[in-house]
């Protein structure tokens, strides 16, 4: 699927998402807000995994970092918009600092190091009890807005962040940095002899990835009004986002968004209809996806449209 | 003729195991220099040293009069060294055009398009399928793309590692023609690493023979070609 087709599809989805709160109830509003949130995390993973080929299994670290930066800032009376900007930028800076040594590791060494980073952050937050609330968790100021309005605002905040993240990925796919990342994903030493500063390219990619993830974490903290390390640094966030990215198609522009939507909606329906066996059914769904759509939904659509146009050419040639 | 590249007493190792000992080598500016030897002689390791992928344990590497011994690979591209690696090593998931443009990654000048046209002229079959994914090309087309990619860097020194490996003679002839053409028209300095000793010494004006990590012989290509020892050891001709 070409970049411009993906962008057109994204624009249609955006228009639908903008009018959706007018027609859905609060339960589905919550589900859709979660879809957007996890799609941002998946889009963040897409940058470091899909483009650069670095398997950051512990990327949820930046979700937690973003959540705690936003939480501490909001408690210090920082305005909401600035708190989210701080969560986004702060996460990027943290990724830059830790990326400098960690991104010299390759393959599974980096994957394990990223998980260790996630675990180390948990310890740091627990031991900074005075600022972060430690093991007790961190309550955030509760918004005076009526709940219906507040939840709609959070919905649009997540949607806005997801739109920006997708635009960043679109821009990245055609940029010099995008070329450099795709080259080093194929062969790191190959990229080096082309003149690519691979360490710099990887650090930049991880900073962009962390910024997206941290932004989602920041909005999530404001949404929940209470955060604690167990849920903010939950490795399950990374895992879910990973599945969504693979399901949609990694290295594509809207794959992670499509994957997040499909997975989360299927999970919600399965959970509400088959409460006792929902994990079993979800597992079977994932196995089916891996077997039937190994490269993701976007690649499946690309293949189908290529076949259609080939068939059309053939018909034209015969006529 | 002055030397564009000069190696003085270069030794190199992969971890504990030493692979190159005391190598002295010069590549005269504007000439084609051949580096020949059998499997495991250290030819590719020497190319890795020149391109910056393997930093020597001792000795000195000088390029255009500048000491580049410790310079990392990506900086050497900016200095003007381009490598066509053994086994092509294209970015298999990227298209031909994307591979070629990656060759020009460090360039900021406005002659990139002109150089792309030149690659298309040398290898028209690449131009016809510029959007095709490089991993799906035939061996010969991949080698054309790899040479084209290196030329896109507009290098001063082109390192070509095992160009002929696994290719049909007719394809090898075309690739050699393209190399000689850029050598003659642009005065591009080339180091050709080959197991096909006859081919290498035919194209080159000077040659070095490498054996078990050491230079065992060097001189004019014609002299080496006529040397009975080389004819017997590398060309299968009885002395």
């Amino acid at each position: 699927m070409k970049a411009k087709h993906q962008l057109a599809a994204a624009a249609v989805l955006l228009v639908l998402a903008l009018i959706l709160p007018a027609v859905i109830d609060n339960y589905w509003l919550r589900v859709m807000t979660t879809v957007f949130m996890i799609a941002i995390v998946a889009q963040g993973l897409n940058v470091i995994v899909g483009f650069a080929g670095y398997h950051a299994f512990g990327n949820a670290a930046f979700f937690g970092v973003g959540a705690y930066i936003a939480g501490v800032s909001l408690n210090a009376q920082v305005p909401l918009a600035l708190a989210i900007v701080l969560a986004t930028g702060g996460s990027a800076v943290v990724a830059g600092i830790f990326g400098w040594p960690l991104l010299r590791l390759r393959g599974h060494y980096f994957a394990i190091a990223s998980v260790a980073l996630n675990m180390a952050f948990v310890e740091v937050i627990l031991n900074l009890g005075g600022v972060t609330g430690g093991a007790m968790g961190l309550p955030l100021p509760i918004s005076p807005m009526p709940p219906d309005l507040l939840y709609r605002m959070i919905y649009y905040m997540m949607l806005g962040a997801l739109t920006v993240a997708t635009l960043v990925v679109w821009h990245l796919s055609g940029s010099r940095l995008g070329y450099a990342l795709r080259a080093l994903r194929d062969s790191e030493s190959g990229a080096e002899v082309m003149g690519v500063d691979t360490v710099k390219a990887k650090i930049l990619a991880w900073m962009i990835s962390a910024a997206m993830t941290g932004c989602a974490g920041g909005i999530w903290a404001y949404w929940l009004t209470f955060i604690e390390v167990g849920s903010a640094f939950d490795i399950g966030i990374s895992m879910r986002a990973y599945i969504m990215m693979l399901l949609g198609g990694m290295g594509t522009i809207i794959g992670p968004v499509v994957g997040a939507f499909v997975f989360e909606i299927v999970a919600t329906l399965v959970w509400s209809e088959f409460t006792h066996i929902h994990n079993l059914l979800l597992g079977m769904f994932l196995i089916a996806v891996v077997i039937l759509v190994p490269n993701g939904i976007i690649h499946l659509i690309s293949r189908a449209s290529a076949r259609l146009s080939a068939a059309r050419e053939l018909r034209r040639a015969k006529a | 003729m002055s030397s564009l590249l000069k190696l003085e007493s270069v030794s190199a190792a992969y971890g504990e195991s030493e692979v190159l000992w005391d190598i002295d080598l010069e590549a005269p500016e504007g000439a084609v220099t051949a580096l020949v030897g059998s499997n495991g002689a250290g030819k590719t390791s020497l190319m890795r040293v020149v391109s910056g992928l393997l930093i020597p344990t001792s000795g000195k590497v000088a390029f255009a009069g500048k000491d580049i011994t410790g310079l990392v690979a990506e900086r050497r591209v900016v200095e003007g060294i381009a490598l066509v690696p053994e086994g092509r090593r294209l970015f298999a998931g990227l298209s031909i055009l994307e591979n070629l443009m990656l060759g020009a990654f460090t360039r900021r000048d406005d002659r990139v398009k002109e150089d792309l046209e030149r690659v298309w002229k040398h290898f028209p079959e690449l131009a016809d399928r510029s959007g095709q994914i490089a991993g799906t090309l035939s061996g010969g087309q991949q080698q054309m793309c790899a040479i084209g990619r290196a030329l896109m860097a507009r290098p001063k020194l082109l390192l070509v590692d095992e160009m002929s490996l696994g290719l049909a003679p007719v394809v090898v002839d075309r690739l050699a023609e393209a190399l000689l053409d850029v050598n003659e028209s642009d005065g591009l300095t080339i180091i050709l690493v080959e197991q096909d000793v006859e081919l290498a010494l035919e194209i080159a004006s000077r040659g070095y023979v490498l054996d078990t990590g050491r230079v065992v012989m060097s001189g004019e290509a014609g002299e080496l070609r006529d040397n009975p020892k080389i004819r017997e050891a590398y060309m299968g001709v009885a002395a």
Side-chain angles (χ1 to χ4, degrees):
Chain A
M1 213 173 168
K2 285 186 179 143
K4 62 178 182 187
H5 293 154
Q6 289 193 56
L7 213 62
V12 173
L13 290 177
L14 178 63
V15 172
L16 286 176
L18 282 171
I19 52 175
L20 204 59
V23 291
I24 54 176
D25 62 18
N26 280 350
Y27 172 74
W28 281 101
L29 188 81
R30 211 180 81 86
V31 170
M32 287 309 295
T33 309
T34 310
V35 169
F36 297 155
M37 181 187 82
I38 201 80
I40 301 166
V41 181
Q43 202 62 286
L45 267 179
N46 193 26
V47 175
I48 189 71
V49 184
F51 281 82
Y54 268 69
H55 293 274
F57 285 143
N59 235 30
F62 302 112
F63 187 83
V65 168
Y68 271 90
I69 291 177
V72 171
S73 306
L74 288 168
N75 280 338
Q77 311 297 320
V78 171
L80 174 63
L82 184 58
I84 301 303
V85 170
L86 286 175
T88 309
S91 304
V93 170
V94 171
I97 293 167
F98 287 96
W100 195 74
L102 290 186
L103 284 163
R104 283 155 209 272
L105 299 170
R106 293 187 184 184
H108 50 280
Y109 296 103
F110 172 76
I112 292 167
S114 78
V115 175
L117 186 68
N118 192 28
M119 291 160 78
F121 278 136
V122 170
E123 292 306 317
V124 171
I125 300 288
L126 286 176
N127 285 292
L128 284 177
V131 190
T132 61
M136 303 285 285
L138 186 70
L140 272 67
I142 293 172
S143 167
M145 259 194 251
D148 271 5
L149 193 64
L150 175 69
Y151 293 143
R152 274 169 176 71
M153 185 182 90
I154 290 167
Y155 173 94
Y156 284 116
M157 282 171 77
M158 288 289 191
L159 179 60
L162 176 59
T163 307
V164 172
T166 305
L167 284 173
V168 168
V169 170
W170 169 66
H171 177 73
L172 187 70
S173 69
S175 70
R176 268 171 67 82
L177 177 62
Y179 269 126
L181 294 175
R182 284 157 64 208
L184 74 89
R185 179 186 63 192
D186 264 14
S187 161
E188 202 150 333
S189 47
E192 279 164 16
V193 291
M194 292 297 112
V196 175
D197 184 339
T198 53
V199 174
K200 193 167 127 196
K202 287 183 291 184
I203 292 175
L204 272 174
W206 212 22
M207 285 176 76
I208 296 170
S209 170
M212 292 175 183
T213 316
C215 178
I219 304 172
W220 172 79
Y222 178 69
W223 185 19
L224 249 65
T225 68
F226 175 79
I227 53 174
E228 45 91 31
V229 284
S231 49
F233 291 92
D234 181 6
I235 198 92
I237 298 170
S238 301
M239 291 302 117
R240 257 166 78 200
Y242 227 94
I243 293 167
M244 290 162 176
M245 176 188 66
L246 294 173
L247 176 60
M250 67 175 188
T252 62
I253 298 167
I254 60 164
V257 184
V258 172
F261 182 79
V262 172
F263 180 84
E264 204 63 31
I265 297 298
V266 169
T268 303
L269 290 176
V270 166
W271 184 81
S272 57
E273 298 296 324
F274 308 95
T275 313
H276 296 295
I277 53 165
H278 77 276
N279 268 340
L280 175 75
L281 292 177
L282 209 54
M284 285 166 62
F285 170 73
L286 285 178
I287 291 169
V289 163
V290 169
I291 293 170
L292 300 172
V293 205
N295 293 321
I297 294 167
I298 297 295
H299 289 288
L300 191 74
I301 296 172
S302 302
R303 245 189 16 222
S305 76
R307 269 191 202 153
L308 268 178
S309 61
R312 215 176 299 137
E313 287 286 315
L314 200 67
R315 263 204 308 275
R316 203 173 299 153
K318 275 183 185 167
Chain B
M1 219 182 292
S2 65
S3 298
L4 184 63
L5 178 82
K6 196 169 179 186
L7 270 67
E8 286 173 43
S9 312
V10 165
S11 298
Y14 294 110
E16 296 283 298
S17 45
E18 208 162 332
V19 286
L20 296 174
W21 285 270
D22 229 9
I23 304 276
D24 286 313
L25 183 143
E26 283 185 42
E29 194 157 5
V32 180
T33 305
L35 194 59
V36 298
S38 53
N39 264 337
K43 304 186 298 292
T44 296
S45 295
L46 191 53
M47 284 303 96
R48 289 174 67 86
V49 166
V50 177
S51 60
L53 289 170
L54 182 64
I55 301 295
T57 46
S58 65
K60 186 180 156 193
V61 183
F63 179 69
K66 198 168 150 187
D67 185 355
I68 58 161
T69 314
L71 202 66
V72 292
E74 65 259 26
R75 296 297 314 162
R76 294 194 193 196
V77 182
V78 182
E79 293 293 328
I81 300 178
L83 170 71
V84 180
E86 184 182 2
R88 284 64 103 167
R89 298 289 179 90
L90 291 177
F91 300 105
L94 304 186
S95 70
I96 293 177
L97 183 63
E98 286 170 331
N99 267 281
L100 293 177
M101 292 314 286
L102 264 162
F105 190 81
T106 55
R107 290 177 59 182
R108 292 274 191 269
D109 58 275
D110 50 6
R111 295 175 71 186
V112 174
K113 215 169 155 223
E114 191 185 304
D115 287 345
L116 186 63
E117 289 301 324
R118 200 169 59 151
V119 173
W120 294 149
K121 202 185 96 209
H122 279 303
F123 308 118
E125 48 269 79
L126 297 184
D128 297 341
R129 52 183 78 203
S130 64
Q132 191 174 330
I133 297 299
T136 62
L137 296 174
S138 72
Q141 290 164 342
Q142 286 195 16
Q143 191 62 280
M144 290 172 193
C145 190
I147 290 176
R149 185 179 65 178
L151 290 177
M152 286 299 290
R154 201 172 256 270
K156 294 184 190 126
L157 171 66
L158 181 68
L159 311 169
V160 186
D161 196 358
E162 302 286 11
M163 175 180 78
S164 69
L165 208 66
L167 298 182
V170 58
V171 178
V172 176
D173 286 348
R174 279 202 48 206
L175 295 170
E177 231 170 77
L179 287 184
L180 281 173
D181 186 59
V182 282
N183 170 250
E184 276 161 25
S185 60
D186 298 11
L188 177 66
T189 310
I190 299 175
I191 296 184
L192 196 60
V193 171
E194 269 297 332
Q195 275 191 61
D196 185 341
V197 178
E198 204 164 349
L199 170 86
L201 293 178
E202 200 180 296
I203 300 173
S205 53
R206 271 187 72 80
Y208 287 83
V209 183
L210 228 65
D211 195 19
T212 56
R214 291 174 182 86
V215 172
V216 290
M217 216 180 284
S218 65
E220 295 299 314
E223 285 170 20
L224 291 175
R225 213 167 39 218
D226 296 335
N227 186 309
K229 278 188 188 161
I230 292 187
R231 290 179 72 80
E232 191 182 354
Y234 299 107
M235 299 182 189
V237 182

